[in-house]
Amino acid sequence: MSYLIACLFFSFTLPAYADLNDINRIYHSTPSLGSFEICQGGGCTHSDVLSLTPAEWDNVTRLFTPSPQTAEVERAAIAQAIGVLEDIVGTKTGTAADRAGTFNNSGYLHQQDCNDEAINSTTYMRLMQQAGLMQFHQILDTRTRKFFLTGWPHSAAVIKEDSSQAEYAVDSWFYDNGYPATIVPMATWKAGYIPQDSPILERNDKAEPVNGE
């Protein structure tokens, strides 16, 4: 879990730090619709134990109906499902107000940094996998790239396509809460990819590269 340690060191805009044992416990836990944990606060300084009703989960299964017939279509459904789950969870935890990125967000409650986003996205995909919704991909450990706008490390969830063995970053940090996750080839993401319409480009343009990730 070295990615978490690296990113924690550069999340100083957020007020506190979680115990790494807690982070590891949450990341390696087996979530279920009846009980799963969601991180917030930067480096998972705060977590909430939640559940989803059948009606709430139906909002996810509808995105996979009919079942995707290609890996590309499945990735699109996964991206949308993460946004839907963020929206549902956000009303329960306060993270509905989460803004894209980390810079300039320390004054906002219930913020999530890249560690929170990577862990939560992995949890959401594990729920999808358990429900049999993911037929073309496997979930891998999160990854960290070593530079961003200011050179700080940045982490994301990862999936691997079964047939091609191609790896994809699943990054929900680029947009405000409830937007579909960004899923791009790992090589593209590692090279510093940022969606051109991401709010962080405008918000971070004036940010001082002192704190943040």
Side-chain angles (χ1 to χ4, degrees), residues 185-206:
M186 180 56 61
T188 300
W189 182 82
K190 290 282 284 186
Y193 176 80
I194 307 168
Q196 289 304 300
D197 61 347
S198 169
I200 66 173
L201 290 174
E202 178 180 353
R203 294 172 188 170
N204 289 353
D205 185 54
K206 301 179 179 62

Side-chain angles (χ1 to χ4, degrees), residues 158-191:
V158 182
I159 55 176
K160 180 172 69 175
E161 184 179 324
D162 292 333
S163 60
S164 68
Q165 298 295 291
E167 296 181 0
Y168 293 84
V170 181
D171 199 329
S172 57
W173 183 80
F174 292 126
Y175 296 95
D176 295 350
N177 185 82
Y179 279 71
T182 298
I183 302 182
V184 295
M186 180 56 61
T188 300
W189 182 82
K190 290 282 284 186

